[in-house]
């Protein structure tokens, strides 16, 4: 296995790795084993899911038990007592009668256990020989022992175990694949370093959470250079050549398949899926059941029962490895079935891939339709791969257009530029739809590449529509076909202009231009084009409304958009873009929880939507972690994000990720690392205004931690007029709030004036905070602390409290100091009560704190001295330091600072 210099790969066959997840299953098995009225537990799951690992984890937790390890072997299942031969060899004398064997083994085990509980650890219990199963069953039934068994198919195990389960004596635990979150931990443990979300998603797509399959795929990914070490993290690289062979050849899910089962898997992989009725006609239903039990196939019931592989990436890998002749034979076989043509037509990308794999010719229009379908669903890499396999690309402007879209979707601007040049050279020959779509994509390329005016291609599109007698927005005279074409092409240009306004931060323009789509809901007859346009326009309007003020009208529009996103004709690509912009807007407005709650039910599959996929997901989570004062967790999350975005950055997020990581480093002692993450000047020029604005914001916050707080506060305030002109009111609020947190009283009056007219959770906190500072009102300040903590922003709560405490200490107002300090400690999580450096508590040494807590409970100096085995003079000296640092005079005042310790 190759590894970058200085970074040895830690993926080793049979290596001992940290056990990941499975806490509930482990605890359930332990409870069953320890329960005197139970025979133990049987762990059921497909090959490679982690049954043996769970068994070992249970055994590690069974201190004080006498463990007998047994392993079933298929080839030995016909030989009596083969599985327990090692045990019988230790029994004195030679016994053959089953009753005598039971008695002798039972006596031997009791003697060896010496009073400890006897536990059988049985791996592959379905392969035990009959005699061994019977003997173990008798020991379990007689309360002489308990057991933890693993089986792939419980129905194949000896009936004695099934009988114990039916009698509720043996607890069954069905082990499911690792969750995505557990897979993240598992992969990081295997490699000894964090892995980017994109890397884990690629592994998840081929292994589906199966632990053995994940480990095998991981080795292949590293060997092929698909996963590579970059800095302190592993990232996913674009090259996937040869990875399909590795995945198929090493997958534990495919290793034991019969010839008929493998034929079913090949067929379903090539087709992408089959209606259950067709699959049942083409294959033995019992074989389908076996493949389902093994976790290879799943049956989805939407809209009709359909058989698919459990992992989409595994299906792609299998399809790539089917021999040409076999692929052709399977294609002809399926084509001969009634209804197959309709099913293949529903997934043109799969059909084209199948035809290519089978060495059959591909109709040009079918190829265009296939690639367009992939692009529309956000599968841009697959679209680009398919285009490269279709040799007619140069003869088809439609394919050149799809190549441009695929390249832009992956952030490959050079490839997009090449495709754009091809289209530009043939512009006079392009039909209406291709030309307008090309001009829309050209505008997109220009804004991402920061080269040329992105509005010019849209102006040209308007000119062409006018020259054809078509209106950009309205309905022209003419027949129904003309009206339909006008609406379709006009929508594309309208959406592109609104997207450009958002990209440039002209939110007021979208507020004015898109008001008409606020209440529109999709109908059952709405087509794909109408759905894509409407969700795009509504999300752009909602983004502008939320950034101006996340009021009730904005939340109502969010509800309408959420319902529209659930429409079956909304493509994943359209939904991705819509969710990206609105949920980031909610995050900026300090109302992310509301956004997530509204849109959580609109996703048909969490793995298909942008906020839960790729680096964007981790950047959003990192910002939330910082607010919750989990900075080190945010740093660990962002390090692989930055390295991954340096490989490919389709959303222009790298400058923001670097700036936020720099801010995290500035908040922690590892300050010297922060400088390396500062984005170079000009790097963000091709990023959306939102990213550029957020990048500059976090750059300033980092500077405040290392330089002049007053200067940074002034720069933050200077950005407010521009934000308000754009319609980004919540950014103005955020800037003023940050300036006030940095100590600028001048920002308080402006923040009060701006916040009192806004109806948003963040604005409520800001209003209380600003009024408290301006009026020197401790009660208002405490309410601001409470409101910030209730929103989950503990860092803001601490900063607000710090402002009040600093002022109280300056005014020698000990009552205010104690009130603010006590309330802050009450609203903060236990882990943060002393870690934010809000008060002088952080200045106490460990010995001073211990003495302070004892004194706060009312103990005398002498009692404290006796408790700590020190002199009274030592206690008095420490209390003097405590009183000075905390600005208190009595034990009663001290007690107000340690309410939790006193209550406990």
């Amino acid at each position: 296995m190759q590894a970058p210099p200085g970074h040895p790969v830690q993926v080793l066959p049979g290596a001992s790795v940290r056990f990941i997840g499975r806490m509930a299953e482990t605890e359930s098995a332990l409870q069953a084993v320890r329960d005197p009225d139970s025979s133990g537990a049987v762990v059921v799951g497909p090959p490679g899911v982690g049954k043996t690992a769970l068994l070992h984890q249970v055994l590690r937790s069974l201190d004080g038990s006498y463990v007998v390890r047994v392993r079933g072997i298929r080839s030995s299942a016909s030989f009596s007592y083969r599985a327990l031969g090692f045990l019988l060899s230790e029994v004195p004398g030679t016994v053959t009668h089953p009753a005598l064997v039971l008695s002798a083994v039972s006596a031997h085990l009791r003697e060896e256990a010496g009073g400890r509980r006897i536990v059988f650890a049985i791996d592959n219990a379905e392969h035990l020989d009959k005699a061994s199963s019977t003997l173990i069953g008798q020991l379990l039934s007689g309360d002489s022992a308990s057991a933890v068994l693993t089986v792939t198919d419980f129905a194949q195990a000896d009936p004695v175990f099934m009988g114990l389960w039916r009698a509720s004596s043996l607890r069954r635990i069905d082990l499911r694949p690792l969750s995505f979150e557990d897979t993240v931990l598992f992969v990081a443990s295997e490699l000894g370093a964090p892995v980017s979300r994109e890397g884990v998603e690629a592994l998840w797509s081929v292994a589906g959470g199966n632990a053995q399959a994940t480990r095998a795929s991981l080795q292949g990914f590293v060997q092929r250079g698909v996963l590579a070490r970059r800095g302190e993290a592993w990232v996913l690289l674009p090259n996937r050549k040869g990875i399909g062979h590795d995945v198929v050849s090493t997958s534990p899910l495919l290793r034991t398949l019969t010839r008929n089962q493998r034929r079913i898997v090949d067929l379903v992989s090539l087709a992408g899926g089959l209606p259950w009725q067709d699959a049942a006609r083409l294959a033995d239903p019992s074989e389908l059941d076996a493949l389902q039990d093994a976790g290879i196939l799943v049956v989805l019931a939407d809209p009709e029962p359909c058989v698919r592989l459990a992992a989409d990436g595994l299906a792609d890998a299998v399809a790539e490895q089917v021999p040409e002749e076999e692929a052709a034979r399977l294609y002809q076989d399926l084509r001969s079935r009634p209804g197959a043509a309709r099913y293949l037509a529903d997934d043109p990308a799969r059909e084209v891939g199948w035809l290519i794999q089978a060495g059959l010719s591909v109709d040009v229009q079918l190829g265009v339709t296939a690639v367009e379908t992939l692009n529309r669903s956000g599968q841009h890499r697959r679209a680009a791969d398919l285009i490269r396999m279709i040799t007619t690309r140069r003869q088809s402007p439609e394919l050149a257009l799809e190549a441009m879209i695929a390249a832009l979707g992956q952030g490959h601007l050079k490839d997009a530029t090449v495709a754009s040049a091809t289209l530009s050279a043939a512009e006079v020959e392009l039909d209406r739809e291709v030309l307008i779509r090309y001009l829309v994509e050209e505008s997109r390329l220009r804004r991402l590449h920061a080269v040329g005016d992105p509005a010019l291609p849209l102006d040209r599109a308007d000119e062409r529509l006018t020259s054809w007698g078509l209106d950009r927005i309205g309905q022209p005279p003419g027949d129904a076909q003309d009206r339909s074409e006008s609406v379709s092409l006009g929508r594309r240009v309208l959406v592109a202009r609104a997207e450009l306004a958002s990209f440039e931060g002209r939110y007021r323009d979208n507020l004015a231009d898109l008001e008409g789509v606020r209440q529109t809901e999709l109908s059952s007859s709405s087509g794909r084009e109408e759905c894509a346009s409407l969700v795009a326009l509504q999300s752009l309007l909602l983004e502008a409304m939320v950034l101006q003020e996340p009021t009730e009208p904005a939340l109502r529009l969010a509800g309408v958009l959420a319902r529209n996103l659930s429409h079956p004709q909304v493509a994943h690509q359209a939904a991705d873009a819509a969710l990206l912009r609105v949920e980031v807007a909610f995050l900026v407005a300090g109302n992310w929880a509301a956004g997530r709650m509204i849109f959580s039910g609109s996703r048909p599959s969490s793995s298909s939507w942008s906020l839960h996929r790729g680096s964007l997901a981790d950047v959003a989570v990192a910002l939330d972690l910082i607010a919750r004062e989990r900075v080190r967790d945010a740093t660990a999350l962002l390090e692989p994000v930055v390295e991954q975005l340096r490989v490919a950055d389709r959303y222009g997020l790298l400058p923001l990720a670097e700036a936020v990581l720099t801010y995290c480093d500035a908040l922690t002692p590892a300050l010297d690392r922060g400088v390396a993450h500062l984005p170079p000047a000009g790097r963000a020029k091709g990023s959306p205004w939102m990213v550029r604005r957020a990048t500059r914001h976090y750059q300033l916050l980092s500077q405040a931690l290392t330089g002049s707080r007053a200067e940074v506060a002034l720069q933050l305030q200077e950005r407010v007029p521009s934000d308000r002109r754009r319609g980004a009111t919540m950014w103005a609020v955020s800037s003023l709030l940050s300036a006030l947190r940095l100590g600028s009283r001048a920002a308080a009056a402006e923040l009060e004036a701006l916040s009192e007219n806004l109806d948003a959770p963040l604005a409520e906190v800001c209003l209380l905070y600003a009024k408290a500072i301006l009026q020197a009102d401790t009660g208002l300040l405490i309410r601001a602390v409470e409101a910030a903590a209730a929103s989950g922003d503990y860092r803001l709560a601490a900063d607000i409290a710090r402002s009040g405490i600093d002022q109280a200490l300056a005014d020698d107002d000990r009552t205010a100091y104690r009130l603010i300090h006590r309330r802050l400690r009450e609203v903060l999580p236990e882990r943060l009560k002393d870690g934010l450096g809000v008060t002088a508590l952080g200045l106490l040494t460990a010995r001073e704190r211990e003495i302070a807590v004892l004194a706060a409970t009312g103990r005398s100096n002498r009692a404290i001295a006796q408790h700590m085995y020190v002199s009274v003079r030592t206690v008095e000296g420490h209390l003097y330091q405590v009183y000075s640092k905390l600005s208190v005079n009595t034990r009663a005042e001290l007690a107000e600072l340690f309410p939790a310790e006193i209550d406990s």
Side-chain angles (χ1 to χ4, degrees):
M1 181 177 297
Q2 299 294 320
H7 295 294
V9 175
Q10 299 182 24
V11 183
L12 302 175
S16 175
V17 296
R18 183 164 59 94
F19 187 74
I20 302 297
R22 317 289 203 196
M23 294 180 62
E25 293 89 344
T26 302
E27 184 60 30
S28 179
L30 285 170
Q31 289 176 358
V33 171
R34 291 167 175 163
D35 185 352
D37 297 324
S38 170
S39 297
V42 55
V43 181
V44 185
V49 77
K51 301 184 298 295
T52 302
L54 177 64
L55 175 62
H56 291 165
Q57 178 67 7
V58 171
L59 296 182
R60 282 192 287 269
S61 304
L62 284 176
D63 294 335
S65 298
Y66 180 74
V67 177
V68 182
R69 300 173 186 266
V70 181
R71 181 178 181 84
I73 302 175
R74 186 192 301 270
S75 60
S76 302
S78 60
F79 299 95
S80 295
Y81 294 119
R82 179 58 63 91
L84 294 179
F86 71 96
L87 187 59
L88 293 178
S89 67
E90 298 175 357
V91 176
T94 302
V95 292
T96 56
H97 193 279
L100 296 177
V101 172
L102 172 62
S103 176
V105 170
S106 180
H108 173 70
L109 289 175
R110 286 198 302 271
E111 181 180 352
E112 290 293 318
R116 292 174 291 171
R117 183 165 181 79
I118 301 168
V119 179
F120 280 90
I122 308 171
D123 208 5
N124 298 334
E126 67 266 47
H127 299 319
L128 292 178
D129 58 89
K130 176 67 175 177
S132 294
S133 296
T134 300
L135 178 56
I136 293 173
Q138 290 171 332
L139 291 169
L140 298 181
S141 300
D143 296 331
S144 300
S146 58
V148 181
L149 307 88
T150 72
V151 297
T152 298
D153 184 355
F154 196 19
Q156 298 300 317
D158 193 278
V160 66
F161 301 121
M162 187 68 73
L164 290 170
W165 172 66
R166 287 173 177 162
S168 301
S169 179
L170 190 66
R171 181 179 301 181
R172 174 171 175 159
I173 301 172
D174 289 285
L175 199 60
R176 300 187 180 279
L178 292 170
S179 67
F180 183 84
E181 291 72 21
D182 285 342
T183 302
V184 171
L185 298 174
F186 178 82
V187 173
S189 176
E190 290 282 297
L191 291 174
V195 183
S196 72
R197 191 178 184 91
E198 285 87 343
V200 179
E201 285 168 354
L203 289 165
W204 176 267
S205 73
V206 298
N210 182 285
Q212 281 189 23
T214 301
R215 180 180 284 125
S217 300
L218 180 59
Q219 290 180 331
F221 274 42
V222 173
Q223 288 174 330
R224 294 278 184 178
V226 175
L227 276 180
R229 185 73 176 258
R230 293 290 185 269
E232 297 301 317
W234 290 80
V235 300
L236 185 70
L237 300 184
N239 178 32
R240 307 286 179 90
K241 186 176 181 180
I243 198 62
H245 174 270
D246 293 345
V247 169
V248 173
S249 63
T250 61
S251 173
L253 297 172
L254 306 177
R255 197 175 297 152
T256 60
L257 297 184
T258 66
R259 183 174 182 179
N260 286 338
Q261 289 173 342
R262 182 55 191 265
R263 181 179 179 276
I264 295 170
V265 170
D266 288 348
L267 177 62
V268 174
S269 298
L270 286 165
L274 287 174
W276 171 259
Q277 292 182 346
D278 289 341
R281 293 190 189 102
L282 289 164
D284 186 340
S286 64
E287 299 279 28
L288 293 173
D289 291 341
L291 290 170
Q292 286 186 70
D293 292 339
I296 299 173
L297 295 184
V298 294
V299 178
L300 305 179
D302 185 25
E304 60 179 307
C306 174
V307 181
R308 300 178 61 91
L309 258 67
D312 291 339
L314 180 60
D316 294 338
V318 169
E320 292 173 4
Q321 302 306 309
V322 179
E324 182 176 301
E325 291 184 5
E326 176 69 4
R329 188 177 66 80
L330 290 172
Y331 182 80
Q332 298 300 337
D333 192 11
L334 183 61
R335 267 290 184 181
S336 66
R337 303 286 174 172
R342 175 190 59 81
Y343 185 76
L344 289 173
D346 290 340
D347 193 350
R350 280 288 177 187
E351 182 172 13
V352 170
W354 196 344
L355 290 169
I356 293 173
Q357 190 69 22
L360 302 174
S361 62
V362 177
D363 177 74
V364 174
Q365 189 53 50
L366 178 61
V368 172
T369 302
V371 176
E372 185 179 358
T373 300
L374 290 173
N375 274 329
R376 194 165 51 240
S377 63
Q379 300 181 68
H380 301 298
R381 185 183 64 81
R382 282 191 62 198
D385 290 344
L386 199 58
I387 289 171
R388 281 190 286 270
M389 290 187 285
I390 299 175
T391 57
T392 55
R393 170 180 167 180
R394 294 191 178 185
Q395 302 171 10
S396 169
E398 291 84 358
L399 277 179
L401 174 61
E402 296 302 331
M404 184 177 182
I405 295 171
L408 287 172
Q410 297 176 88
H412 298 167
L413 301 185
K414 290 183 179 179
D415 292 343
T417 301
V418 171
S420 175
T422 300
L423 289 163
S424 178
E427 184 172 330
V428 295
E429 303 172 5
L430 302 181
D431 64 30
R432 291 179 176 183
E433 181 178 358
V434 173
L435 177 58
I436 296 301
R437 291 179 64 199
Y438 158 60
L439 292 174
V440 166
E441 297 303 324
E442 175 65 20
S443 172
R444 184 180 171 205
L445 173 61
R446 290 188 180 195
R447 72 182 189 232
L448 293 176
H449 216 345
V451 175
D453 184 355
L456 288 179
L458 301 181
D459 292 341
R460 289 173 55 201
D462 281 340
E463 292 170 1
R464 289 302 182 100
L465 289 174
T466 301
S467 69
W468 297 331
L470 303 177
D471 192 310
R472 175 163 71 94
I473 302 175
Q475 296 183 354
D479 59 25
Q481 181 176 354
D482 287 339
R483 288 195 296 273
S484 176
E485 183 179 23
S486 174
V487 171
S488 175
L489 299 180
R491 277 186 186 135
R492 290 184 182 276
V493 179
L494 178 61
V495 170
R497 286 197 179 277
E499 288 177 340
L500 179 59
S502 171
F503 186 89
E504 295 177 344
R506 294 183 284 108
Y507 301 109
R508 287 194 183 279
D509 290 354
N510 280 346
L511 284 172
D513 295 342
L514 306 180
E515 177 65 25
V517 302
R518 181 184 294 195
Q519 304 295 331
T520 307
E521 300 213 23
L522 296 169
S523 67
S524 58
S525 61
S526 297
R528 185 179 291 116
E529 182 71 31
E530 179 186 355
C531 290
S533 299
L534 184 60
V535 299
L537 294 173
Q538 286 184 333
S539 66
L540 288 160
L541 175 60
L542 179 57
E543 174 191 46
M545 294 175 69
V546 170
L547 289 175
Q548 183 181 56
E549 180 183 3
T551 55
E552 185 61 31
L555 296 179
R556 284 199 297 271
L557 173 56
V560 173
L561 177 59
R563 290 191 293 275
N564 285 337
L565 284 170
S566 299
H567 194 284
Q569 290 296 319
V570 175
H572 288 165
Q573 174 72 355
D576 272 355
L579 286 168
L580 186 155
R581 61 176 64 99
V582 301
E583 295 203 47
V584 170
F586 272 110
L587 181 65
V588 170
N591 206 12
W592 196 33
R596 288 180 66 88
M597 181 174 65
I598 292 171
F599 290 104
S600 61
S602 64
R603 303 180 178 89
S605 171
S606 62
S607 64
S608 303
W609 302 81
S610 60
L611 198 72
H612 296 273
R613 187 176 66 207
S615 295
L616 175 64
D618 286 344
V619 171
V621 172
L623 293 174
D624 186 55
L625 288 173
I626 293 171
R628 296 180 182 278
E629 190 48 35
R630 294 173 55 189
V631 178
R632 294 190 184 279
D633 290 341
T635 301
L637 195 63
L638 285 169
E639 285 174 340
V641 167
V642 168
E643 297 299 341
Q644 183 66 61
L645 290 176
R646 287 172 177 165
V647 174
D649 181 22
R650 60 174 176 161
Y651 294 125
L653 286 172
L654 178 58
L656 174 58
E658 289 177 320
V660 177
L661 183 55
T662 301
Y663 178 56
C664 288
D665 284 342
L667 289 169
T668 59
L671 184 60
D672 56 319
R673 295 195 311 123
V675 178
H677 301 298
L678 284 171
R683 175 178 283 181
K685 63 181 181 180
S687 300
W689 180 87
M690 180 82 80
V691 171
R692 300 197 304 273
R693 179 66 178 84
T695 298
R696 184 55 183 155
H697 184 79
Y698 283 99
Q699 286 175 331
L700 288 173
L701 295 185
S702 299
Q703 292 174 21
L705 293 168
T706 60
S708 170
R709 292 165 60 92
E711 181 179 341
V712 170
L714 181 60
Q715 291 186 54
L716 287 165
Q717 290 173 254
E718 289 174 347
R719 304 187 72 84
V720 171
S722 173
D723 290 337
R724 298 189 69 176
R725 284 195 300 272
R726 291 178 179 274
T729 307
M730 296 311 296
W731 265 118
V733 169
S734 182
S735 291
L736 290 171
L737 174 60
S738 296
L740 182 55
R741 294 167 74 174
L742 292 174
S744 173
R745 289 183 60 86
E750 192 173 357
L751 182 60
E752 179 188 25
L754 186 58
S755 300
E756 63 183 357
N757 296 317
L758 299 177
D759 181 18
L762 180 61
E764 178 186 355
V765 176
C766 292
L767 183 59
L768 290 169
Y769 184 18
K771 285 186 174 181
I773 295 300
L774 292 171
Q775 300 173 20
D777 189 319
T778 301
L780 285 176
L781 190 130
I782 289 176
R783 287 174 57 192
V785 169
E786 293 169 342
S791 72
D793 195 337
Y794 303 124
R795 178 163 290 278
L796 175 57
D799 283 350
I800 295 172
R802 185 182 293 111
S803 300
I805 288 171
D806 290 345
Q807 188 61 48
L809 291 175
D811 297 340
D812 197 25
D813 187 345
R814 299 187 179 188
T815 299
Y817 170 87
R818 292 194 300 275
L819 287 172
I820 297 170
H821 176 270
R822 181 186 181 98
R823 188 58 185 140
L824 177 64
R825 287 177 59 79
E826 289 172 346
V827 299
L828 287 179
E830 190 64 34
R831 63 182 175 84
L832 299 179
K833 291 189 185 297
D834 302 318
L836 286 171
V838 176
T839 71
L841 281 180
L843 301 177
L844 297 183
T845 65
R847 178 56 63 90
E848 288 170 352
R849 178 178 177 80
E850 185 179 4
I851 290 175
V853 171
L854 293 171
T857 63
R859 295 196 187 190
S860 66
N861 290 355
R862 182 173 298 279
I864 295 172
Q866 291 175 347
H867 177 79
M868 299 184 65
Y869 301 102
V870 298
S871 68
V872 173
R873 184 177 294 276
T874 298
V875 173
E876 291 173 346
H878 282 305
L879 278 178
Y880 176 79
Q881 293 296 327
V882 169
Y883 281 26
S884 298
K885 290 179 179 180
L886 301 185
S887 189
V888 297
N889 288 326
T890 67
R891 275 171 162 76
E893 294 177 354
L894 190 62
E896 294 185 24
L897 303 182
F898 294 94
E901 286 82 350
I902 294 174
D903 293 341
S904 61

